[in-house]
Amino acid sequence: MAKVKVASAWLDCCSGCHMSFLDMDEILIDLADVIELTASPITDIKEFSPVDVGIIEGSVSNEHDEQVAKNLRANCKILMVLGDCACFGGINSMRNLFTIEEVLHRYYSTESTTKDSKIPSSEDIPPLTEVKPVNQVVKVDCYVPGCPPSAKAIHYALTELLAGRIPVLPSEMMRFD
Ligand code: SF4
């Protein structure tokens, strides 16, 4: 039987959700029999090709994130968002309390930088936008919240998808343990 193709991307994130994916440990060996991981930070393949399931970690916080989310959405049948940043904006959305100028100033011109420090322009870094959950940019089919979601929750979600069901996480899997 053909393997289910999966691609994943990380946007504005700490990579903790992908680390939790890897925390499935030996289960990954069984999953490798039925899943082919294509483009992903784990495989370091960056170009998306058509897949069955797309997974996004992280919020949409700049124009590049938005392009990546749209690109993966266009290449997957089912899009699953992983973690509170992707589901709700998460801790990153705290910066929405400030203007983008204030945020850039805080990042690049603090007490610890020299007086010659330069705040990068949009030619240097992707232009920042308001921080958004992924579903404000593209259609999302299923949600795996948590910061990060536990390996158990990720395994449950993938198992449901492999069985042809859209996963709805039981409440006991909504917290990390
Ligand atoms: S949800 Fe938590 S673990 Fe996942 S990227 Fe955001 S901060 Fe990191």
Side-chain angles (χ1 to χ4, degrees), residues 10 12-18 20 57-59 82-87 89-92 144-149:
W10 53 25
D12 189 6
C13 65
C14 74
S15 75
C17 295
H18 272 78
S20 212
E57 165 186 355
S59 58
L82 198 57
D84 286 355
C85 294
C87 292
I91 194 167
N92 305 323
V144 183
C147 183

Side-chain angles (χ1 to χ4, degrees), residues 12 60-67 95 100 103-104 107-108 120-132:
D12 189 6
V60 178
S61 300
N62 61 44
E63 291 181 9
H64 180 258
D65 292 339
E66 197 161 324
Q67 284 168 8
R95 82 156 165 79
I100 286 173
V103 170
L104 287 171
Y107 284 174
Y108 295 105
S121 70
S122 57
E123 288 173 12
D124 305 312
I125 58 170
L128 298 182
T129 56
E130 183 188 9
V131 177
K132 291 174 253 182

Side-chain angles (χ1 to χ4, degrees), residues 8 16 18 21-22 25 33 39 56 80 93 115 122 135 147 173:
S8 73
H18 272 78
F21 182 99
L22 293 176
D25 297 331
D33 288 336
I56 292 182
M80 180 167 86
S93 56
K115 63 179 170 38
S122 57
N135 69 0
C147 183
M173 286 190 193

Side-chain angles (χ1 to χ4, degrees), residues 28 44 56 60 70 74 81 92 104 114 118 126-127 148 163 168 172 176:
L28 292 170
D44 204 25
I56 292 182
V60 178
K70 287 179 177 170
V81 287
N92 305 323
L104 287 171
T114 70
K118 174 175 162 269
V168 178
E172 65 269 20
F176 195 88

Side-chain angles (χ1 to χ4, degrees), residues 97-152:
L97 298 171
F98 304 93
T99 66
I100 286 173
E101 289 69 31
E102 286 171 326
V103 170
L104 287 171
H105 189 269
R106 186 68 185 87
Y107 284 174
Y108 295 105
S109 181
T110 68
E111 311 75 42
S112 61
T113 57
T114 70
K115 63 179 170 38
D116 298 324
S117 298
K118 174 175 162 269
I119 293 179
S121 70
S122 57
E123 288 173 12
D124 305 312
I125 58 170
L128 298 182
T129 56
E130 183 188 9
V131 177
K132 291 174 253 182
V134 175
N135 69 0
Q136 287 191 17
V137 175
V138 294
K139 177 176 174 282
V140 169
D141 301 300
C142 49
Y143 299 80
V144 183
C147 183
S150 65
K152 197 165 130 191

